[in-house]
Amino acid sequence: MESEENCEIGLSPEDLQRKLYFLNEQLQVMAKDLPLKYQQRLPNELLCGLAESLLDNTVFGIVDNLMDIQHVTEKQLFQQRLQFLNKHTLAMQELAMDTRMDDVTKTNHRTRLQATHRKELQLFDMKLVTELDKKVCDQQRILEMAGVPGFEVTNDPIKIQVQIRLLDFILRLSQMQVPP
């Protein structure tokens, strides 16, 4: 099996070993820079497994694609929020220009409208956060299915923070000049 992988990757066993050592060494250095509470959750076996999973560059491509998808999603959600806020602004402007109401009625109506807008915005923001949480689960699932060590679908905030740091490691390694 290993010789099949070497052919796929296109590296000699020596080059493959050199690349593995480099990746593992870089991951060890990055892990040492983390706060102790995260270092403890990144055992050497996990980092070695991560280095192995990065050998053929597939994981770099997956993470790059996931990042692109996340950026598009974030932009879309931001645009939706701006449209939602614009709708509220227009409603307030219409109220201000309404000549059928006296000032007291207008003020009371504005106060009620502002309260309604606050509640609607809070619900809208909760919906956006839920969509982002679903995106996180999708990303976790994809990375888990790709066999990337340290990734599983979870809501545990500490495990998610560890996964964020692993993603940061992967992104930083993808920017480095890795020996052949």
Side-chain angles (χ1 to χ4, degrees), residues 104-119:
V104 173
T105 306
K106 223 183 250 191
T107 301
N108 289 337
H109 195 67
R110 182 182 311 112
T111 302
R112 284 193 307 275
L113 196 55
Q114 287 171 333
T116 301
H117 286 175
R118 270 193 302 276
K119 288 178 188 172

Side-chain angles (χ1 to χ4, degrees), residues 30 41 49-50 74 93 101 108-109 133 159-160 166:
M30 290 177 197
R41 294 184 171 270
L50 182 58
E74 288 172 355
Q93 288 173 351
M101 291 184 232
N108 289 337
H109 195 67
D133 286 345
K159 287 183 179 180
I160 290 172
L166 290 174

Side-chain angles (χ1 to χ4, degrees), residues 42 46-47 50 149-151 162-170:
L42 295 172
L46 173 67
L47 296 175
L50 182 58
F151 287 89
V162 169
Q163 290 176 350
I164 289 170
R165 275 139 184 94
L166 290 174
L167 282 170
D168 176 58
F169 291 174
I170 294 168

